[in-house]
Amino acid sequence: MKSAVETLNPTRVRLTVEVPFEELKDSLDAAYKKINQQVSVPGFRKGKIPARLIDQRFGRGAVLEEAVNDALPKLYQSAVEEGELNVLGQPEVDITELKDNELLSFTAEVDVRPQIEIPDYKGIEVEVDAVDVSEEDVDKAVEQLRERFASTSVVERAATEGDVVKVDLEAKIDGEVLEDGVAQGVDYTIGSGELLDGIDEAVTGLEAGGSATFTSELKGGSGAGREAEVSVTVESVSARELPELDDEFAQMASEFDTLAEMREDSRKRLADQKKYEQATQAQEKVLDALLELTEVPVPEKLLADEIESRKHNLVNHQLGQLGLDLGSYLKMQDKSEEEFDAELKEQAEKGIRTQFVLDELVSQEKLNVSQEELTEHLMRRAQSSGMSPDQFAQAVVEGGQVPVLVGEVARGKALAAVVEAVTVKDTNGEAVDLSDEDEAAETEAAAETAEAAAEGDEESGAQQAEKTEG
């Protein structure tokens, strides 16, 4: 077999392959054997029909077609290996010549990973938020804890902001009650914004047994995106009572004996959270700076496939689970379809460029993934998927996805290495040390950032839609 590689552009090549007919012998034998099992000829047992009789009865062309179909994948793979190509996706194959007992020639066009030159990134400088925990931050954290331990008691008065009302709801469109437009015994805290637009004004001032109607755009279900007339009846009104902020509350809500100790623990937790956010911000900004410095050609077909995959996942899985279609989602986000498509393309392109650049760094730095790092990453992915580690691991192995997880960890290590090599300062002008005593945790955090960049800069459509619904 002879093969040659022609570069069509930085991300696509054409393979030209010539195969002497003698190299097709195994595939020809397999073709005759397969046809033998599929046809019947009087006077011959199945599987015992001579080759010359198959040629006469069914045509040599049928045999050649079967043999070529069998041989092409192996011949193509051999040509890829011979050309030392890093191919992406499936090739477009064209048989250019097929001479019986002489020669098979074909071409295969396929996308390839572009050659990427990583620039000297050590001069990158980024600025991140300073880690500053104020008294107001601590007050807010303690107040949130206090809210969790609030109690409620039914009161005989009109509802006001902060009260919990139990309500029955009925939604109509064009005078018809929707099949999924009735809900009973729903608990709602006035002012929380967790239900329908307009409900706060409707129930404020109502006592138990009181009713009101209001108009609201439905965020989910069969009427998503449409204006509905909603009737609300208050079953009961309950006042929320917050516990006193004292040592007794600290003992009830935490493992500490005093309110001062609990506040100090809150301060430490907030500082740790802000340090994590600071590290994530640094990783994101460093990655953006690295991508800006690096020229990365993106294969057109790969980009088109990625855009289609993301759109399909959003529409058929994420939004579908919320009872929304794309039109309703775009209306909620106040975006045109053109704006949505442009954002999707930008995110898909950044995702591809991110993977290419970090994979090149993995190769250059010869980064390896340990079993411990892979296990920790698997545990995190299992937790986010809602599966047990054993179930997730089994699904990964059965789906042949182990290399995917290894790649995610390796890209995280590459990003972590870049972050350690650049200059990071906070808004106070102080140098920020992002090195972590727990190297595995640092790698995992960087892997999360790299994954987020590869999957899209912004929150997923489902996350945004859920927030809007809430």
Side-chain angles (χ1 to χ4, degrees):
M1 183 188 84
K2 292 193 303 181
S3 66
V5 179
E6 177 188 358
T7 300
L8 303 178
N9 62 48
T11 63
R12 195 164 179 83
V13 299
R14 179 188 292 123
L15 284 164
T16 302
V17 183
E18 292 185 357
V19 187
F21 219 78
E22 56 265 24
E23 293 186 23
L24 297 177
K25 182 180 183 306
D26 289 345
S27 294
L28 280 167
D29 291 344
Y32 278 117
K33 184 176 181 181
K34 183 175 180 180
I35 294 173
N36 238 310
Q37 297 299 324
Q38 295 174 338
V39 300
S40 298
V41 174
F44 294 92
R45 287 182 296 162
K46 188 176 286 290
K48 299 296 184 180
I49 307 169
R52 60 176 176 76
L53 193 55
I54 289 177
D55 289 345
Q56 292 171 2
R57 286 290 187 96
F58 306 103
R60 175 71 167 174
V63 178
L64 290 177
E65 182 180 357
E66 184 66 42
V68 169
N69 288 339
D70 175 75
L72 271 178
K74 293 172 280 189
L75 294 170
Y76 165 73
Q77 187 59 39
S78 295
V80 166
E81 292 171 1
E82 187 176 299
E84 297 181 342
L85 300 175
N86 196 339
V87 298
L88 301 166
Q90 296 300 313
E92 295 178 4
V93 177
D94 181 27
I95 297 173
T96 55
E97 190 173 9
L98 178 57
K99 290 184 178 179
D100 196 2
N101 292 313
E102 290 186 34
L103 183 73
L104 165 67
S105 298
F106 68 90
T107 62
E109 287 191 18
V110 66
D111 286 334
V112 293
R113 277 183 180 261
Q115 296 293 320
I116 298 173
E117 185 176 338
I118 304 293
D120 182 7
Y121 51 78
K122 294 182 177 62
I124 290 177
E125 290 189 18
V126 298
E127 184 181 77
V128 295
D129 295 333
V131 174
D132 182 21
V133 179
S134 66
E135 285 301 312
E136 289 76 13
D137 292 332
V138 177
D139 290 342
K140 184 178 179 181
V142 172
E143 190 62 25
Q144 288 174 343
L145 185 60
R146 190 181 177 209
E147 291 276 352
R148 285 172 49 193
F149 283 86
S151 59
T152 59
S153 57
V154 176
V155 293
E156 301 296 330
R157 60 166 173 76
T160 62
E161 185 170 355
D163 286 343
V164 178
V165 289
K166 187 180 291 293
V167 296
D168 297 336
L169 298 163
E170 182 182 82
K172 294 180 180 179
I173 293 180
D174 298 331
E176 296 290 331
V177 179
L178 299 174
E179 289 184 10
D180 53 357
V182 177
Q184 295 181 323
V186 177
D187 287 329
Y188 175 67
T189 302
I190 300 175
S192 67
E194 295 177 349
L195 207 52
L196 293 167
D197 292 341
I199 192 171
D200 288 337
E201 294 80 0
V203 298
T204 297
L206 294 181
E207 297 184 14
S211 298
T213 59
F214 62 99
T215 301
S216 184
E217 182 181 307
L218 301 181
K219 306 303 182 184
S222 61
R226 300 179 65 187
E227 291 284 335
E229 183 183 80
V230 182
S231 300
V232 56
T233 300
V234 176
E235 290 186 16
S236 64
V237 179
S238 298
R240 300 176 76 251
E241 299 175 6
L242 298 175
E244 291 293 327
L245 278 177
D246 52 22
D247 292 346
E248 186 177 340
F249 168 67
Q251 293 163 19
M252 173 181 65
S254 70
E255 69 270 32
F256 300 102
D257 293 327
T258 68
L259 183 61
E261 290 174 330
M262 190 183 77
R263 285 180 62 87
E264 188 57 35
D265 181 68
S266 293
R267 187 186 307 278
K268 181 179 180 302
R269 289 174 185 270
L270 287 170
D272 289 343
Q273 179 183 336
K274 290 197 173 188
K275 285 179 182 176
Y276 179 83
E277 291 169 354
Q278 185 188 63
T280 300
Q281 187 183 27
Q283 291 160 0
E284 291 171 348
K285 288 193 170 186
V286 169
L287 178 57
D288 286 342
L290 180 61
L291 291 178
E292 192 172 333
L293 286 174
T294 311
E295 185 177 346
V296 187
V298 176
E300 289 182 11
K301 188 175 186 306
L302 179 66
L303 178 59
D305 289 345
E306 179 66 12
I307 291 171
E308 182 59 33
S309 174
R310 288 172 184 243
K311 192 169 186 176
H312 181 273
N313 182 55
L314 172 65
V315 173
N316 294 282
H317 299 291
Q318 299 179 43
L319 297 182
Q321 291 175 357
L322 298 171
L324 294 171
D325 58 21
L326 183 59
S328 302
Y329 167 70
L330 293 178
K331 189 173 181 181
M332 289 163 54
Q333 298 298 314
D334 193 25
K335 291 178 184 175
S336 68
E337 191 161 355
E338 291 74 17
E339 290 172 328
F340 168 76
D341 288 341
E343 288 182 6
L344 197 61
K345 180 180 179 182
E346 183 181 348
Q347 291 172 7
E349 190 167 351
K350 181 179 179 181
I352 294 170
R353 294 178 71 236
T354 295
Q355 289 202 18
F356 283 175
V357 169
L358 294 182
D359 285 345
E360 182 63 27
L361 280 166
V362 169
S363 176
Q364 285 187 12
E365 302 299 328
K366 297 180 173 55
L367 299 175
N368 296 312
V369 176
S370 68
Q371 185 61 49
E372 181 184 355
E373 290 166 336
L374 182 60
T375 300
E376 184 164 339
H377 186 63
L378 187 147
M379 297 280 282
R380 181 182 68 79
R381 290 292 302 270
Q383 186 177 18
S384 64
S385 71
M387 301 170 67
S388 73
D390 287 345
Q391 288 174 323
F392 187 78
Q394 183 177 353
V396 166
V397 172
E398 290 178 353
Q401 296 298 299
V402 173
V404 174
L405 293 191
V406 172
E408 290 171 354
V409 179
R411 286 190 283 272
K413 295 184 75 169
L415 179 56
V418 175
V419 172
E420 287 185 9
V422 305
T423 300
V424 181
K425 292 185 177 180
D426 65 20
T427 48
N428 295 328
E430 300 291 330
V432 177
D433 181 10
L434 293 172
S435 60
D436 196 318
E437 292 181 6
D438 187 346
E439 189 175 331
E442 183 181 354
T443 296
E444 191 58 26
E448 286 188 43
T449 301
E451 282 176 62
E455 292 169 4
D457 291 323
E458 301 177 3
E459 295 172 293
S460 72
Q463 289 174 315
Q464 294 183 43
E466 284 176 326
K467 284 188 175 182
T468 308
E469 280 199 299

